[in-house]
C-alpha cells in the first residue's frame, strides 16, 4: 500500500488541446472563395465540388454539407441557380443512397 508523502514530487501533465476551430473561417470562407474564383465553372470544376460533397456525405459530415450548400445558395455573386440546384440535387441523392435519409430542403433552407 503506497501513500503520497509531502516530499514526493507530483508531476501533472498538461493536456495539449487543439484550439477551437472557426467553422466559417476554416470551411465556409475557403469554399466561397473557390466558388468565386470559378465564376463560369467548366464540368471539371463542378465535378470537383460534387466530389467534395460526396466526401462530406461518406464521412458523415451531413451538417457541414447542409451548411455549405446553404452558403452556396446564398452567395450573391456565386454560381447560377441551375448549377446550384444540380450540385444540391446530386448531394441530396448521394445522402439518400449512402444513408437512406431524405432531407427537407425547404426546412433546411436549401
Amino acid at each position: 500500500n503506497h501513500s503520497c508523502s509531502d516530499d514526493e514530487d507530483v508531476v501533472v501533465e498538461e493536456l495539449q488541446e487543439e484550439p477551437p476551430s472557426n467553422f466559417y473561417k476554416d470551411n465556409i470562407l475557403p469554399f466561397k472563395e473557390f466558388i468565386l474564383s470559378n465564376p463560369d465553372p467548366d464540368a471539371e470544376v463542378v465535378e470537383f465540388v460534387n466530389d467534395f460533397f460526396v466526401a462530406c456525405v461518406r464521412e458523415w459530415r451531413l451538417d457541414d454539407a447542409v451548411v455549405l450548400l446553404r452558403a452556396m445558395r446564398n452567395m450573391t455573386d456565386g454560381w447560377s441557380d441551375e448549377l446550384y440546384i444540380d450540385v444540391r440535387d446530386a448531394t441530396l441523392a448521394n445522402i439518400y443512397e449512402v444513408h437512406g435519409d431524405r432531407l427537407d430542403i425547404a426546412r433546411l433552407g436549401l
Side-chain angles (χ1 to χ4, degrees), residues 34-107:
F34 179 81
I35 297 296
L36 291 174
S37 69
N38 293 282
D40 295 310
D42 59 18
E44 187 177 330
V45 170
V46 174
E47 182 179 358
F48 179 80
V49 170
N50 279 326
D51 288 346
F52 171 76
F53 280 109
V54 165
C56 285
V57 170
R58 295 200 186 280
E59 294 171 5
W60 285 88
R61 294 177 53 201
L62 302 184
D63 290 340
D64 294 351
V66 168
V67 169
L68 291 167
L69 282 170
R70 192 178 303 128
M72 185 179 182
R73 187 200 66 164
N74 291 334
M75 291 178 68
T76 54
D77 296 329
W79 291 355
S80 69
D81 288 344
E82 280 183 31
L83 273 176
Y84 163 73
I85 290 169
D86 288 347
V87 170
R88 180 198 69 191
D89 289 351
T91 302
L92 294 175
N94 187 251
I95 290 170
Y96 181 72
E97 177 185 320
V98 173
H99 301 290
D101 296 323
R102 293 197 190 277
L103 301 185
D104 184 341
I105 60 174
R107 188 177 73 76

Side-chain angles (χ1 to χ4, degrees), residues 1 6-7 12-14 20 29 32 36-37 50 55 77 91:
N1 193 358
D6 292 333
D7 59 349
V12 177
E13 291 185 36
E14 290 186 34
L29 194 57
K32 285 182 168 184
L36 291 174
S37 69
N50 279 326
D77 296 329
T91 302

